[in-house]
Amino acid sequence: MSALLPSELDRPALARGRSAADADPRSVSAALRRAEFGDRLRTLALAAPLLLLLALSFGIPIVLLLSRAVYDPTIADALPRTSVALADWNGQGLPGDAAFIALAADLSENQAKGAAYELAKALNARLPGARSQVLKTVRQLEAAGGKPPLDIMKAVPFWSAPGTWPVIANGTHAITSFYLLSALDLRWNADGGIERVPPEQAIFLQVFLRTFFVAAAVTLATLLLGFPLAYLISSVPKGLAAILIVAVLLPFWTSILVRTAAWTVLLQKFGLVNDLLLWLGIASERLDLMYSRIGLIIAMTHIQLPFTLLPIYSVMRTIAPSQMKAAYSLGAKPFTAFRRVYLPQVFPGVMAGCLLTFILCLGYYITPALIGGASDQLISNFIANYVNVELNWEMAAALSFILLVFTLALFGIFARILGLDRLKMV
Amino acid sequence: MKIAKTRLLVFTAATALFTIGHAFADELSIMASGGAWQDAQRKAWFEPFSKETGAKILEQEYLGDLGKVKAMVDTGNVPIDLVTVETATVLQGCDAGILERLDYAKIGPRDKFIEGSALDCGVGLDAYGDILAYDPTVLKEAPTSVLDLFDTKKFPGKRAMRKFPAQNLEWALMADGVAPADVYKVLATPEGVDRAFKKLDTIKKDIVWWDAGAQPAQLLASQEVVMTTAWNGRIQNAIDTDKKPFKIVWNNQILEYDMIAIPKGAKNPDLAYKYLAYISKPENNAKLASYITYGPVRTDAASFVAADALPKLPNAPDHLAGAYLVADTEFWGDYGEDLVKRFNAWLAQ
C-alpha cells in the first residue's frame, strides 16, 4: 500500500533535515520545520502566477455571478420612497395611503428615466401578471391630466389585491433569499414562515435528484466497463497496450458535440442500433432509444469512459505481476489474492476515476439536451434556460450555487472517508 | 535591432490604419437565427440593401435566446447592430433594458403594420404560422385540424411538439372546447392553466419535444413521429427543396410575427434604422415571401407578393378561412416566465 503513495523519503526537505540532524541532534525538529517552511514558500511562489490568474479570471467572476443569487437591488433601487413608506408596515392587509402615493411617485420617476420596464420585469418574476399592470399604471400616471395619483392607484385592482404589497415590501430589501429558496422549491408564506411550493410548481429538487441519479448510473456503468478494460490493457504486452490506449483515447479527442451527434444517428428509431437488435432477434419491435433515459446513459457512458478508465489504468500499471504470484505461492486462491492484494492497491485509482466522472456528469449539458427526453433534462439545462431564455440570471445563480454546494459537500465527504492523499489521478 | 524596430513601427502603423479603416467602413452587423430563414433574408434583403447603399452586411447566427445579447449590453461591448427575435422576446428584452426603444419616424408609418407587429422595441419582419405537418405516406388518414394532435385514437403514434408552453397550451384549451376568442381569457386564470395541462396530460407519453426550428422536418423524415407541430416555412422548405412528401394542416394554426430589434449600445444605429426603413417599405417587405413562405407584415404589401408565393403564406386568405388564433404577445410577456416554470415542472413529473 505505502509503496503507492509518494514516499516521504523522496522529499528533499527531509533529506536536508536529516543532514542538519547529523550536525546537532537536538535541533532536528526545528531544522525540519525551517526547511519545510522554506520549501513551502518556494512552492507557493512558483504557483503564485497561476493562483493569481485563477483568482482573477475564475474566482472573482464566479463569486460575482453567484452573488446575484442573493443580491437583487432592482426593486429596492427603483422604489426608494415606497421603501421608506413601508418601513413600519406590519404586512397585514393593505398599507396606508402614504404607501400608495409614494409608489405612484416612484413609478412616475422610473417612467421618466426609462426604468419602468426593468421594474415591471423584476416584479413579474415574483408576481406573475405584474408586468402589464405596472406598465398600465405607469401610462395612466403619465396621462393623469390633474387626476390625483392616489385615485389612479386605487382604481387599478392589482394594487389593492391581497398578494401584491407583501411582494413589494419583500422586494425593497436588496439582499433576498427568494431565489435560493425557489431553487429548493421553497418560499415564504404569508405568516413569515418557510413552506414548500405547491406540487405543480415544485421542480428543482426532483431535477437535482435526477441529476445525481444519472451521474451515479453513468459512473457505475463506466466502472463496470472500464475496470476490466484497464486490467486488460495493463496486462497485455506493451505494443498491444499502446494500441488499446489509442483506441480508448481516439474518441476522447473528438468533440463531445460530434460524439453526441453520432449517437443520435445510431440510436434513432430507424437507426443502426435498432436495425441490429431487430436483425439479431433481440427485440421484436423498434425501441425508443432516442429521447429516453437509457439512450442518455449509453451516450454519457461512452463519453465518460476515458475519465474513469485512465486513473484506474495508471494505478494498475504500477502493480507488479509478481505480487499476485507471491500471493498464490503463499496459498491464496485467485479470488482471495485479487481481493486482498490487488483490489486494495487499485482502490485509490478507482475512487479517483469514479469521483472525476461523477462530478463531470453533474454539469452535463449537451448530451441530455440532444439525446435525453423532456424528463431527462439535468440541472445544467435549467441553468442554461434561465441564463439564455428567461434572462433570469438570479435564478441561474441560485441553482448554480446549490449545485456547487452539493458538489463540494460530496467531495468533502469523499476526502473525509478516504483521505485526499489516497486519491490518485493520472 | 534597428530593423526590428522599424518593422515594429510599420506593423503598428499598419494595424492602426487597418483598425481605423475598419471603424469607418459602413458595416451593419445582423444576428439572426440561421437556417432556411436566414438564407431567405439574405436573398430578399441583405444583398439588395448592400447593393443599394454600399454597406457591407456581417451576418451572425444564434439560437434566438437573448442571454448572449444581455451579456453584450451588460458589458458595454455590443458588436451587433440588429438582432432578429420572437415577439415575446421583444417584450422581454424591452423590459430588461436590452433593446432600444424604436423611433418609428425613422422607419415608416406604424399604423401600416398589422396589429401587434410594430412594438416599442421591435419591428415586424414577417408573419409565420404554427401549423401541423405530417407525412401522408406514413399516416393513411389525413388530419384536418392542428387539434388532431390530441386524438391518439384516430392517429396513433408519436407526435412532436415544441418544448415550450406557448402554442401548446392554446391548442390544448381549444381541443378541450374553448373558442379561439376566449383562449387567453381562460389561460389567464389558474383554473384555465390547470385545464390546459390536464388536456396535455392525455397525450404526454406520446410526445417527442423539439427545440430548434429545423427539428420537426427531421423528426418527420426519420419517421420518429407521425405528425409534428412546426413553423410553416420550415416544412414548406422541406417540401420544395428536399422533395419531401409532407403536408401542412392550416386549420387552427396560430399566427405569429418575427421581429427585428436594435440592441442598446449598438455601434451603428443610423445604418440600422436605414435598414429597418428599407425592409419596411411595402414592396421590400413582400419580397421575403419569394424565398420562404412567410407573409408580409405591412397591410399594404399584399399586392407586391409574387403570385406563385401567395397561396403558401400563413396569412393567405385561404389559410385564414378556418379557425385560427393570433398569438397574444402581451399575455406571454406577463405570464411567460411563470408558465415556462410550470411547464418544466409538468415535464419533469
Side-chain angles (χ1 to χ4, degrees):
Chain A
M1 183 69 237
S2 64
L4 279 172
L5 303 175
S7 163
E8 291 291 320
L9 290 173
D10 295 343
R11 299 179 57 183
L14 202 65
R16 273 200 302 282
R18 184 166 286 166
S19 63
D22 290 342
D24 181 1
R26 275 165 305 179
S27 64
V28 169
S29 55
L32 192 64
R33 266 204 303 278
R34 258 203 311 281
E36 283 201 329
F37 180 72
D39 222 32
R40 270 195 207 133
L41 217 59
R42 223 167 325 182
T43 322
L44 208 64
L46 282 175
L50 178 66
L51 290 178
L52 202 67
L53 181 74
L54 271 181
L56 287 178
S57 67
F58 196 61
I60 294 175
I62 283 188
V63 170
L64 282 180
L65 189 70
L66 290 184
S67 68
R68 289 185 98 121
V70 289
Y71 181 70
D72 178 16
T74 317
I75 299 176
D77 286 353
L79 304 176
R81 297 181 190 85
T82 318
S83 305
V84 175
L86 287 176
D88 43 46
W89 177 52
N90 66 0
Q92 301 297 315
L94 288 177
D97 287 353
F100 280 86
I101 294 170
L103 182 62
D106 282 336
L107 287 180
S108 299
E109 193 183 305
N110 276 296
Q111 173 73 342
K113 63 179 186 202
Y117 281 82
E118 277 162 71
L119 173 66
K121 180 182 161 62
L123 275 175
N124 202 75
R126 297 157 187 240
L127 201 61
R131 192 190 153 276
S132 62
Q133 299 296 323
V134 171
L135 297 179
K136 196 167 99 187
T137 312
V138 160
R139 267 180 236 126
Q140 286 175 4
L141 287 167
E142 207 174 26
K147 203 175 174 194
L150 185 62
D151 292 355
I152 296 174
M153 298 299 288
K154 295 269 176 170
V156 182
F158 176 75
W159 299 112
S160 303
T164 306
W165 282 96
V167 169
I168 295 175
N170 197 286
T172 54
H173 307 292
I175 302 282
T176 172
S177 54
F178 173 78
Y179 298 105
L180 279 181
L181 287 178
S182 301
L184 292 168
D185 293 335
L186 300 170
R187 68 177 182 196
W188 292 102
N189 62 19
D191 313 322
I194 291 175
E195 63 175 13
R196 290 182 166 278
V197 298
E200 72 270 11
Q201 290 168 24
I203 170 168
F204 298 121
L205 284 184
Q206 207 178 356
V207 176
F208 276 117
L209 276 180
R210 183 196 304 157
T211 306
F212 280 85
F213 170 79
V214 169
V218 171
T219 308
L220 188 68
T222 56
L223 181 63
L224 291 178
L225 289 173
F227 192 93
L229 185 57
Y231 182 78
L232 179 73
I233 298 175
S234 68
S235 58
V236 296
K238 268 208 177 109
L240 190 55
I243 294 171
L244 285 174
I245 280 283
V246 168
V248 171
L249 285 180
L250 207 58
F252 191 54
W253 293 326
T254 320
S255 101
I256 287 189
L257 189 61
V258 172
R259 274 182 286 167
T260 304
W263 274 110
T264 64
V265 173
L266 290 175
L267 292 176
Q268 60 187 334
K269 196 154 195 177
F270 291 85
L272 287 176
V273 173
N274 260 320
D275 286 348
L276 191 70
L277 288 178
L278 274 185
W279 184 72
L280 290 174
I282 296 173
S284 55
E285 57 180 52
R286 293 187 178 269
L287 306 173
D288 290 320
L289 295 173
M290 274 297 283
Y291 315 111
S292 73
R293 182 74 50 89
I294 188 78
L296 174 65
I297 290 177
I298 292 174
M300 278 175 76
T301 301
H302 169 243
I303 292 166
Q304 282 303 125
L305 189 61
F307 290 98
T308 311
L309 181 133
L310 289 176
I312 299 177
Y313 169 67
S314 79
V315 173
M316 284 181 171
R317 206 180 41 179
T318 62
I319 300 171
S322 55
Q323 284 187 15
M324 293 295 273
K325 284 181 194 144
Y328 300 146
S329 75
L330 290 170
K333 295 213 164 58
F335 182 70
T336 314
F338 174 76
R339 188 171 59 86
R340 296 190 54 189
V341 176
Y342 197 75
L343 207 53
Q345 299 194 67
V346 289
F347 193 65
V350 170
M351 276 299 128
C354 288
L355 194 63
L356 195 61
T357 288
F358 189 83
I359 288 177
L360 284 174
C361 285
L362 291 182
Y364 246 81
Y365 172 65
I366 290 176
T367 316
L370 290 181
I371 293 184
S375 52
D376 301 312
Q377 301 303 301
L378 306 186
I379 197 68
S380 51
N381 301 90
F382 286 82
I383 295 173
N385 185 55
Y386 277 110
V387 169
N388 293 323
V389 184
E390 301 298 321
L391 299 188
N392 187 343
W393 289 12
E394 286 74 23
M395 201 61 225
L399 290 173
S400 309
F401 182 79
I402 304 276
L403 182 64
L404 186 66
V405 168
F406 274 154
T407 311
L408 288 178
L410 191 87
F411 192 74
I413 292 168
F414 263 85
R416 184 93 193 216
I417 295 173
L418 299 161
L420 263 186
D421 51 347
R422 287 186 58 181
L423 291 183
K424 197 164 161 111
M425 300 287 178
V426 185
Chain B
M1 188 64 205
K2 186 146 190 227
I3 292 171
K5 241 186 199 164
T6 318
R7 278 186 189 161
L8 193 68
L9 205 70
V10 170
F11 177 72
T12 316
T15 319
L17 276 176
F18 179 73
T19 317
I20 293 169
H22 219 60
F24 276 104
D26 264 351
E27 280 183 352
L28 187 66
S29 177
I30 302 181
M31 191 154 81
S33 55
W37 184 51
Q38 190 156 334
D39 295 342
Q41 289 186 70
R42 187 176 310 117
K43 288 181 212 141
W45 296 330
F46 298 168
E47 285 169 1
F49 178 76
S50 263
K51 211 177 263 170
E52 197 175 296
T53 61
K56 194 177 162 205
I57 291 195
L58 302 176
E59 287 183 53
Q60 295 190 45
E61 275 185 36
Y62 82 134
L63 272 175
D65 35 30
L66 269 184
K68 206 171 169 184
V69 184
K70 180 176 160 66
M72 291 174 187
V73 175
D74 280 1
T75 52
N77 178 20
V78 185
I80 50 171
D81 302 305
L82 286 165
V83 55
T84 63
V85 265
E86 286 180 46
T87 29
T89 324
V90 171
L91 288 189
Q92 204 187 9
C94 215
D95 294 353
I98 297 169
L99 302 177
E100 201 73 55
R101 323 281 311 265
L102 295 175
D103 178 3
Y104 274 89
K106 295 183 192 166
I107 299 171
R110 200 169 172 174
D111 57 355
K112 291 279 196 227
F113 286 86
I114 300 176
E115 197 189 338
S117 71
L119 304 177
D120 287 356
C121 294
V123 51
L125 290 175
D126 60 57
Y128 64 94
D130 298 308
I131 48 84
L132 184 75
Y134 67 99
D135 182 343
T137 60
V138 174
L139 212 55
K140 292 294 169 250
E141 193 168 358
T144 52
S145 151
V146 181
L147 306 182
D148 283 339
L149 272 172
F150 294 86
D151 192 345
T152 47
K153 273 216 187 72
K154 208 164 156 194
F155 305 99
K158 295 263 180 195
R159 47 265 280 129
M161 295 167 88
R162 187 175 173 209
K163 199 162 89 201
F164 201 68
Q167 301 113 42
N168 295 334
L169 293 180
E170 285 100 320
W171 278 321
L173 281 184
M174 285 191 273
D176 206 34
V178 177
D182 298 329
V183 162
Y184 288 106
K185 228 184 300 162
V186 175
L187 208 52
T189 65
E191 301 79 48
V193 176
D194 286 345
R195 189 172 162 188
F197 276 107
K198 225 167 137 193
K199 186 70 187 174
L200 280 175
D201 267 336
T202 60
I203 55 166
K204 190 176 179 183
K205 61 171 179 26
D206 300 302
I207 303 174
V208 169
W209 300 97
W210 59 268
D211 288 302
Q215 275 174 298
Q218 286 163 11
L219 288 167
L220 270 190
S222 66
Q223 296 185 24
E224 204 81 36
V225 297
V226 297
M227 54 169 80
T228 179
T229 68
W231 297 324
N232 73 293
R234 304 286 185 143
I235 296 298
Q236 194 65 49
N237 193 57
I239 298 171
D240 294 343
T241 22
D242 303 334
K243 305 292 171 223
K244 296 286 178 195
F246 305 156
K247 285 248 178 331
I248 292 177
V249 180
W250 293 98
N251 193 15
N252 281 114
Q253 67 157 323
I254 297 180
L255 265 185
E256 299 197 65
Y257 310 116
D258 278 313
M259 302 256 151
I260 189 161
I262 305 178
K264 273 229 172 97
K267 301 232 166 28
N268 215 342
D270 292 337
L271 193 59
Y273 270 115
K274 218 168 166 184
Y275 178 78
L276 294 183
Y278 176 83
I279 60 169
S280 296
K281 282 187 195 146
E283 63 272 29
N284 293 339
N285 190 230
K287 259 192 221 157
L288 188 76
S290 304
Y291 303 101
I292 193 162
T293 50
Y294 293 146
V297 287
R298 284 281 298 238
T299 48
D300 45 3
S303 57
F304 297 100
V305 175
D308 58 331
L310 194 64
K312 294 176 184 170
L313 301 183
N315 46 356
D318 273 0
H319 299 151
L320 297 181
Y324 71 97
L325 186 71
V326 179
D328 186 336
T329 319
E330 279 289 330
F331 175 86
W332 284 104
D334 270 7
Y335 295 96
E337 187 167 343
D338 198 47
L339 287 175
V340 168
K341 189 165 178 240
R342 169 86 187 258
F343 182 75
N344 284 330
W346 175 80
L347 283 181
Q349 275 158 17

